[in-house]
């Protein structure tokens, strides 16, 4: 047997199997300076450590939308939580869209008041109203963390563009973040007054 016979077979050019590539949501990526602990603690306040670091973890690795769950956004009257967290665009959507969806599904111009929906002939509208409300609550609970992540990221990037000192950046983030108790309280009181007026006829 000569030396040529002992050589390993040459590569025939056949494609070699590749390692399976993980989807983007499973790949770990650095969050970058936009989400430093100091910045997020300033934006969210004490709840960053106790709650929001865990809730936003999926988006720190990949900012693409994936459903997560936020109980306060789901079980509170949905728009109120978004207003509380200064998410004004989602607040507007969750406040207005369910009414449009209800009218589109039912084709009815009947006002969605307690008195009207309690009438026997409108029982099916009452069922549809509850279905739309539950769907809206589920959508709010499933998207709230993502909306909050996007606003925190936008705020952090906006602050980075200001060219101010680190302490001023943190002050800006504290003002942009946190919660809006005044507007939320006014909104809840207004909704209670409207509901009581409906019962009063």
């Amino acid at each position: 047997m000569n030396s040529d016979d002992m050589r390993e077979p040459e590569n025939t050019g056949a494609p070699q199997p590749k390692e399976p590539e993980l989807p983007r949501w499973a790949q770990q990526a650095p969050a970058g300076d936009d989400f430093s602990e100091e910045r997020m603690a300033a934006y969210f306040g004490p709840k960053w450590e106790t709650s929001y670091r865990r809730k936003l973890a999926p988006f720190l690795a990949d900012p693409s939308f994936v459903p997560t769950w936020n109980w306060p956004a789901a079980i509170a009257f949905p728009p109120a939580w978004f207003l509380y967290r200064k998410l004004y665009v989602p607040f507007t959507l969750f406040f207005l869209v369910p009414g449009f969806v209800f009218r589109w599904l039912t084709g009815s111009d009947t006002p969605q008041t307690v008195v009207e929906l309690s009438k026997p002939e409108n029982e099916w509208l009452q069922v549809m109203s509850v279905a739309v409300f539950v769907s809206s609550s589920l959508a709010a609970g499933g998207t709230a963390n993502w909306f909050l992540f996007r606003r925190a990221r936008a705020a952090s990037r906006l602050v980075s563009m200001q060219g101010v000192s680190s302490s001023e950046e943190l002050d800006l983030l504290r003002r942009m973040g946190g919660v809006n108790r005044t507007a939320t309280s006014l909104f809840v009181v207004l909704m209670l007054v409207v509901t009581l007026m409906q019962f009063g006829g």
Side-chain angles (χ1 to χ4, degrees), residues 24-57:
R24 284 194 308 159
W25 60 265
Q27 297 175 9
Q28 294 296 319
D33 292 338
D34 286 342
F35 280 91
S36 69
E37 289 289 323
E38 192 176 31
R39 282 186 171 210
M40 291 302 98
Y43 183 87
F44 288 99
K47 289 213 167 185
W48 170 247
E49 290 289 340
T50 59
S51 179
Y52 285 110
R53 178 197 276 140
R54 174 182 52 79
K55 288 181 178 181
L56 302 187

Side-chain angles (χ1 to χ4, degrees), residues 109-141:
D109 291 331
T110 302
Q112 285 182 268
T113 63
V114 175
V115 173
E116 286 295 325
L117 293 179
S118 298
K119 293 178 179 177
E121 64 270 22
N122 292 332
E123 185 177 352
W124 73 282
L125 291 177
Q126 185 177 2
V127 172
M128 290 300 296
S129 179
V130 170
V132 169
F133 177 78
V134 170
S135 299
S136 176
S137 296
L138 291 173

